[in-house]
Amino acid sequence: MSQKIFLDGTFVPREDAKVSVFDHGLLYGDGVFEGIRVYDGVVFKLEEHLERLYASAKTIMLEIPYSRDEMREIVRQSCRENGLESAYIRLVVSRGPGDLGLDPRKCGRATVVVIADRISLYPPELYENGMSIGTGSTRRSRAEIINPQIKSLNYLNNILAKLEANQHGWGEVLMLSEEGFVAECSADNIFMVRRGVLVTPAPHLGILLGITRATVLDLAREAGYETLETTFTRHELWNADEVFLTGSAAEIVPVVKVDERSVGDGKPGPVTKDLAQRFRAYAPTNGVHI
Ligand code: PXG
């Protein structure tokens, strides 16, 4: 069965899912997106993803031509059309076709794309043995430049950092805030465990407020862990007992090396493993059925 992509109101075969070269999503990165997981027929935290999508769109004054209810149905239908019980969904809303000037007023109607695809999971060894990461020289931008809370199509900042990860052979790249505090990674949030306390950078540091991040904080509090959203430097991270990353694609990935320094005993730690297990049990129970 050929893959069906939702594009501007209809489901089209993958080969026909094409957008205009005049689309400002392509010309200027003018648009917003979401990456969502489907576990056993349940779209994980779909309401939260829709909330973030519409919030990002509101900030960039992009009108999504569907109501939230309609968008929920489009996502569910995308899974059904493709017969996928477990999937990775990419929702993209761009400013739409305009002229070659950057003025968004020239774009008539937003382009809406929903791709439901098979998930390409990270290799299982990564979850067993952990990942090495390092700090990139590319910093997260502060809110007055491009607010990292907007999940926009303008990911060049993150891609520049990812290039550094590739050059060094790191699995992910740590990005600091403009002031040099630990912020997040190119497509994942970061956590550390210090003396039993679960610590993650506070929202004001200029991070994407990850849905996996929020879920992990909730699950940790429920399990009785003390949690803290705060400001910290790499010194704290290098001396943490455990470090892990969270993201829709990655879920929870243990980090065993940061900037050539072993984290704890150099193996995935007990809190990371406990939270990963809790997350795996929780994910298929929390969302919208397809
Ligand atoms: N920070 C950034 C900068 C991100 O792009 C996250 C954190 C994690 O957020 P969620 O809501 O997913 O827990 C992201 C995630 C992918 C992929 O396929 C992920 C993202 C963007 C592009 C690709 O891994 N965003």
Side-chain angles (χ1 to χ4, degrees):
M1 190 178 71
S2 124
Q3 192 179 8
K4 294 284 194 303
I5 314 285
F6 179 88
L7 173 62
D8 290 338
T10 51
F11 283 91
V12 295
R14 183 191 173 107
E15 310 76 64
D16 301 332
K18 292 172 183 162
V19 297
S20 165
V21 293
F22 290 96
D23 195 301
H24 280 208
L26 174 71
L27 290 176
Y28 298 112
D30 186 359
V32 294
F33 79 105
E34 283 294 322
I36 313 172
R37 289 288 289 275
V38 183
Y39 297 102
D40 303 335
V42 175
V43 189
F44 182 61
K45 300 258 174 183
L46 178 56
E47 296 311 319
E48 286 81 350
H49 281 284
L50 291 175
E51 175 93 31
R52 188 169 66 183
L53 180 81
Y54 281 80
S56 293
K58 184 169 188 175
T59 292
I60 71 163
M61 298 176 87
L62 169 62
E63 197 180 327
I64 300 177
Y66 300 105
S67 69
R68 212 181 282 205
D69 287 345
E70 287 169 328
M71 206 57 134
R72 185 184 308 112
E73 290 317 302
I74 293 166
V75 169
R76 293 174 67 210
Q77 208 186 338
S78 298
C79 296
R80 295 197 301 265
E81 289 275 340
N82 289 285
L84 293 171
E85 285 284 305
S86 287
Y88 181 82
I89 295 174
R90 177 57 55 92
L91 229 159
V92 183
V93 185
S94 78
R95 190 76 67 180
D99 66 15
L100 292 178
L102 63 79
D103 190 345
R105 289 175 301 187
K106 300 283 173 58
C107 304
R109 191 182 199 264
T111 300
V112 178
V113 176
V114 181
I115 306 168
D117 214 337
R118 295 191 185 284
I119 13 154
S120 53
L121 290 172
Y122 288 111
E125 308 88 74
L126 201 66
Y127 295 88
E128 275 152 41
N129 305 327
M131 182 190 266
S132 291
I133 67 169
T135 311
S137 61
T138 309
R139 301 245 166 139
R140 258 334 221 153
S141 61
R142 61 168 196 265
E144 304 90 313
I145 301 175
I146 294 179
N147 191 338
Q149 286 197 38
I150 306 167
K151 201 161 166 60
S152 84
L153 295 181
N154 202 314
Y155 254 54
L156 208 48
N157 182 236
N158 310 53
I159 288 163
L160 284 166
K162 184 71 180 172
L163 287 170
E164 295 185 67
N166 295 349
Q167 281 156 6
H168 290 96
W170 302 324
E172 246 286 21
V173 52
L174 175 65
M175 301 181 75
L176 305 179
S177 67
E178 199 187 23
E179 304 81 13
F181 296 111
V182 172
E184 63 175 337
C185 291
S186 69
D188 298 287
N189 291 113
I190 190 160
F191 284 78
M192 66 174 178
V193 181
R194 278 172 70 90
R195 293 180 213 96
V197 182
L198 187 63
V199 188
T200 196
H204 73 84
L205 287 158
I207 59 171
L208 182 82
L209 290 177
I211 286 157
T212 321
R213 174 188 182 276
T215 304
V216 166
L217 283 171
D218 284 347
L219 289 174
R221 285 176 196 133
E222 230 175 78
Y225 292 102
E226 193 184 326
T227 64
L228 184 64
E229 294 174 71
T230 188
T231 305
F232 57 94
T233 66
R234 288 189 298 166
H235 174 73
E236 275 86 37
L237 195 66
W238 292 332
N239 289 287
D241 302 315
E242 299 181 34
V243 173
F244 62 85
L245 309 181
T246 64
S248 296
E251 299 177 343
I252 296 177
V253 184
V255 170
V256 292
K257 206 178 253 188
V258 181
D259 297 320
E260 297 302 322
R261 288 138 175 108
S262 285
V263 177
D265 63 2
K267 297 195 191 91
V271 177
T272 306
K273 283 186 193 162
D274 180 40
L275 290 171
Q277 204 174 345
R278 286 174 192 276
F279 182 85
R280 275 194 294 272
Y282 173 82
T285 69
N286 230 280
V288 174
H289 283 271
I290 62 176

